Amino acid sequence: MNSTTYAKRTLYKPIDFFFRGVADASGKTKKIAFVDAFQVLNDRYLGRMSVCNYFYIAEGSVRINELNIIALEELVNYDLVMKENFLIPDVTYNLPISTRFLENDKDFDVLTSAIKDLGYKKSGLIISFFVSSLTKLDADGRARYNRLRKLGYKICATAFGEDYNSLDVFSDFTFDYLRCEAQYFGTDKNKKKVLAMLVSFCKANKIGFVMEGVDTPSQYSRYKREGVKYMTGRGVSKLSRWVTNEMLGQKAVSYTHLRAHETKANLV
């Protein structure tokens, strides 16, 4: 019996999800480009914490892998329920995954098999890795990373800035998105130069630059002026347990429309 089967049988969920939209700020109006799926660990002994924080606490534990596979399974189920019952459109989810899956062939096969078997569309999943963990991979791990990219799923390098800011990551890895923290840049003149360089580099290399922690309208306006394409934070989207049409900036589904959808589904 695997962990997910056990969790469902005992009505104990090892993880919960919280969601926040990532806005495309390149247009005149905010448009949600994709949705961050935050994994929150429910642990009888450790309590509740971000699974991403658990990556560091128990880096040598296979439990990290198990939690990530559970997250992939539960996210598919969640999305299906929301589509069937609340008629949300197709959503691209950004999901943090441990680089432990890239450290050996067995774990790598577990990850790739899960993604394929669960039916994730290539346009429906962005796999996110911490840059500090990516750079610790050996040559074989980097080769597995490249094999993962060839499957067609988007890859995001996250937490670039305060904890890790070496430019080596750009020469050693190819990725689709780069995520930085707004707090790292602040208003320091030298940091503004770094930001301008990163924005230009990402634009030239077709990398989506994502600014996290944009908590105020003034921050949003500032980073928009400075060319940041994607932003997320309290000033962009509320943290929620539900991915709704309202979060996605879609027209609300009327009760009549919902009933018509249910009737059609029952006829089928």
Side-chain angles (χ1 to χ4, degrees):
M1 179 181 294
N2 63 36
S3 299
T4 302
T5 303
Y6 174 79
K8 290 177 179 177
R9 189 169 71 88
T10 60
L11 300 180
Y12 168 68
K13 293 182 66 176
I15 65 165
D16 284 321
F17 278 116
F18 285 85
F19 301 95
R20 173 169 276 153
V22 177
D24 182 341
S26 60
K28 293 182 179 180
T29 59
K30 294 178 187 176
K31 180 181 178 183
I32 299 301
F34 56 91
V35 173
D36 286 335
F38 300 103
Q39 307 167 45
V40 178
L41 174 66
N42 293 318
D43 193 282
R44 291 184 174 93
Y45 303 101
L46 297 175
R48 287 168 64 82
M49 71 167 72
S50 165
V51 172
C52 291
N53 292 338
Y54 191 77
F55 289 178
Y56 299 105
I57 294 175
E59 191 172 357
S61 171
V62 72
R63 191 180 182 207
I64 296 172
N65 300 48
E66 294 174 350
L67 288 168
N68 282 175
I69 296 300
I70 290 171
L72 285 164
E73 293 175 346
E74 297 296 336
L75 187 56
V76 164
N77 294 333
Y78 173 89
D79 186 59
L80 180 61
V81 168
M82 296 304 290
K83 279 187 169 69
E84 289 184 345
N85 293 279
F86 299 97
L87 304 185
I88 66 168
D90 288 336
V91 177
T92 299
Y93 294 97
N94 177 76
L95 188 69
I97 296 291
S98 171
T99 51
R100 281 178 50 89
F101 286 107
L102 304 176
E103 293 177 358
N104 60 73
D105 287 333
K106 181 179 178 181
D107 288 336
F108 180 78
D109 290 341
V110 168
L111 174 63
T112 55
S113 295
I115 293 172
K116 292 177 182 177
D117 293 345
L118 291 167
Y120 276 97
K121 296 178 180 179
K122 293 177 182 178
S123 60
L125 180 65
I126 299 171
I127 300 171
S128 183
F129 295 112
F130 286 106
V131 288
S132 57
S133 298
L134 281 177
T135 54
K136 294 177 182 177
L137 293 173
D138 59 17
D140 290 337
R142 295 180 185 187
R144 294 184 193 98
Y145 174 89
N146 290 327
R147 285 165 57 193
L148 182 63
R149 287 198 74 248
K150 288 180 180 179
L151 291 178
Y153 296 95
K154 302 292 186 182
I155 304 291
C156 176
T158 191
F160 184 86
E162 191 164 1
D163 293 329
Y164 182 93
N165 51 34
S166 172
L167 298 180
D168 288 344
V169 70
F170 296 105
S171 61
D172 295 337
F173 296 92
T174 301
F175 39 83
D176 303 285
Y177 296 93
L178 176 71
R179 297 179 72 120
C180 298
E181 275 287 341
Q183 185 177 358
Y184 173 70
F185 293 101
T187 57
D188 181 85
K189 290 184 178 180
N190 291 327
K191 293 289 180 63
K192 284 186 175 182
K193 292 179 181 178
V194 174
L195 175 59
M197 181 272 292
L198 287 173
V199 168
S200 297
F201 178 87
C202 288
K203 185 176 181 180
N205 290 275
K206 297 181 179 179
I207 299 171
F209 187 93
V210 183
M211 187 67 79
E212 299 182 356
V214 178
D215 294 334
T216 65
S218 60
Q219 281 183 307
Y220 182 89
S221 298
R222 173 202 161 185
Y223 290 122
K224 183 179 174 68
R225 287 195 306 270
E226 294 179 350
V228 175
K229 183 172 183 180
Y230 299 104
M231 287 184 260
T232 184
R234 291 195 302 270
V236 177
S237 176
K238 293 180 180 179
L239 190 65
S240 173
R241 296 198 63 169
W242 306 102
V243 178
T244 62
N245 282 286
E246 181 183 6
M247 171 191 282
L248 300 171
Q250 301 288 328
K251 186 177 180 181
V253 179
S254 67
Y255 179 75
T256 303
H257 188 185
L258 188 60
R259 290 295 298 169
H261 175 78
E262 291 176 346
T263 302
K264 183 179 179 181
N266 289 335
L267 290 174
V268 173

